[in-house]
């Protein structure tokens, strides 16, 4: 039986993840493909609401470790749903995932492996599209500075942590510098098209 593919879109803030995921969903739906978008953090459940408070209210204090574990708990809350969708042949598109979880927390100084540990056993994406600026281009875009992590110095540290995943066989760097939405869309498509008809192999787990 063919299962759906697990595709993650990752990147710093303001790199175009949400724009590209929306376009991709629309394209795949137009082609009659079964696809579902899951955004992390999803802010609707009780855990999600706590995370939302943490991100938007700077007076709300949590230790870095407990904040980290909440984001991980958020993923574990949805793992059954993800697995069920994949089994049913649905392609699951993740807007942020484990990689953001590790990168944003490790950027605060927490140990990289410690950050990954609570996510071990989660389904591992078949492909990760990392939307990336060569320079600090995301910081020059508008809409920055409203939430906890939207600070230039911090974004630079997160970038370094994200890059530690570069080299994994599922990792694809997509440079967005100076490219239009349409140009990035085409590149996203060339990476995703190989996966949209499903896979015969079992989904891998983080280990
Ligand atoms: P958005 O800007 O995409 O809404 O994300 N984050 C995200 C973490 O620190 N850990 C995680 O596990 C995830 C998924 C990245 C809000 C912020 O939450 C950060 C930015
Ligand atoms: Mg954001």
């Amino acid at each position: 039986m063919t299962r759906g593919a697990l595709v993650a879109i990752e990147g710093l803030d303001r790199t175009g993840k949400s724009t590209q995921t929306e376009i991709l969903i629309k394209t795949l739906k137009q082609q009659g493909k079964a696809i579902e978008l899951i955004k992390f953090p999803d802010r609707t459940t009780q855990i999600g609401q706590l995370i939302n408070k943490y991100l938007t209210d700077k007076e709300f204090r949590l230790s870095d470790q407990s904040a980290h574990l909440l984001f991980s708990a958020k993923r574990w809350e949805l793992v059954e749903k993800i697995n069920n969708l994949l089994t049913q042949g649905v392609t699951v598109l993740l807007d942020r995932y484990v990689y953001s979880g590790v990168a944003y927390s490790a950027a605060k100084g927490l140990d990289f492996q410690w950050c990954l540990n609570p996510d071990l056993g989660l389904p591992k994406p078949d492909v990760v599209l990392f939307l990336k600026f060569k320079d600090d281009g995301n910081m020059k875009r508008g809409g920055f500075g409203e939430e906890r992590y939207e600070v230039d110095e911090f974004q630079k540290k997160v970038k370094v942590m994200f890059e530690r995943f570069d080299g994994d066989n599922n990792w694809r760097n997509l440079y967005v510098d100076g490219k239009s939405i349409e140009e990035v869309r085409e590149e996203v498509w060339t990476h995703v098209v190989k996966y949209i008809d499903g896979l015969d192999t079992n989904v891998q787990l983080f280990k």
Side-chain angles (χ1 to χ4, degrees):
M1 252 282 285
T2 307
R3 66 165 171 92
L6 189 60
V7 178
I9 299 207
E10 281 282 10
L12 294 171
D13 294 271
R14 309 297 297 160
T15 47
K17 293 181 301 302
S18 299
T19 304
Q20 291 299 331
T21 46
E22 271 168 39
I23 296 174
L24 187 56
I25 293 277
K26 223 169 135 189
T27 313
L28 289 168
K29 284 195 173 155
Q30 278 165 358
Q31 297 188 2
K33 306 278 184 206
I35 176 138
E36 177 122 352
L37 170 66
I38 299 181
K39 175 160 169 50
F40 286 107
D42 155 85
R43 303 188 189 201
T44 58
T45 62
Q46 286 190 317
I47 295 173
Q49 283 168 20
L50 259 179
I51 291 174
N52 185 52
K53 186 159 174 59
Y54 176 70
L55 288 171
T56 55
D57 178 357
K58 279 160 194 138
E59 303 294 304
F60 182 62
R61 291 193 191 282
L62 274 181
S63 73
D64 292 343
Q65 289 86 346
S66 44
H68 179 74
L69 294 172
L70 278 180
F71 279 103
S72 178
K74 182 68 251 179
R75 285 184 278 282
W76 282 104
E77 197 172 46
L78 286 172
V79 76
E80 196 181 332
K81 178 180 174 184
I82 293 173
N83 283 331
N84 286 340
L85 287 165
L86 296 178
T87 309
Q88 289 160 26
V90 179
T91 295
V92 177
L93 183 59
L94 307 168
D95 181 350
R96 292 196 189 274
Y97 193 48
V98 171
Y99 307 97
S100 282
V102 174
Y104 281 78
S105 290
K108 297 173 179 174
L110 297 181
D111 179 71
F112 188 89
Q113 185 61 43
W114 185 91
C115 292
L116 185 57
N117 284 346
D119 283 353
L120 298 183
L122 284 172
K124 187 171 176 174
D126 298 297
V127 63
V128 184
L129 309 180
F130 183 56
L131 302 191
K132 181 175 189 179
F133 279 97
K134 286 196 186 93
D135 58 19
D136 307 330
N138 70 312
M139 299 165 207
K140 299 190 187 94
R141 293 188 167 181
F144 218 61
E146 287 137 41
E147 289 202 342
R148 187 177 285 263
Y149 298 136
E150 296 179 344
V151 180
D152 291 2
E153 281 312 305
F154 187 69
Q155 294 279 318
K156 285 182 196 162
K157 291 184 186 160
V158 178
K159 190 176 188 208
V160 172
M161 292 303 164
F162 265 127
E163 285 170 355
R164 287 180 63 169
F165 290 104
D166 191 348
D168 272 16
N169 56 11
N170 63 0
W171 194 263
R172 311 280 180 272
N173 289 311
L174 257 86
Y175 291 97
V176 300
D177 309 70
K179 289 186 186 148
S180 65
I181 290 176
E182 174 57 24
E183 285 166 326
V184 179
R185 184 199 69 79
E186 277 172 26
E187 278 192 47
V188 167
W189 187 249
T190 58
H191 286 288
V192 170
V193 71
K194 302 163 196 157
Y195 298 91
I196 52 173
D197 289 322
L199 294 159
D200 296 322
T201 53
N202 286 332
V203 71
Q204 305 269 302
L205 304 179
F206 279 93
K207 56 178 190 292

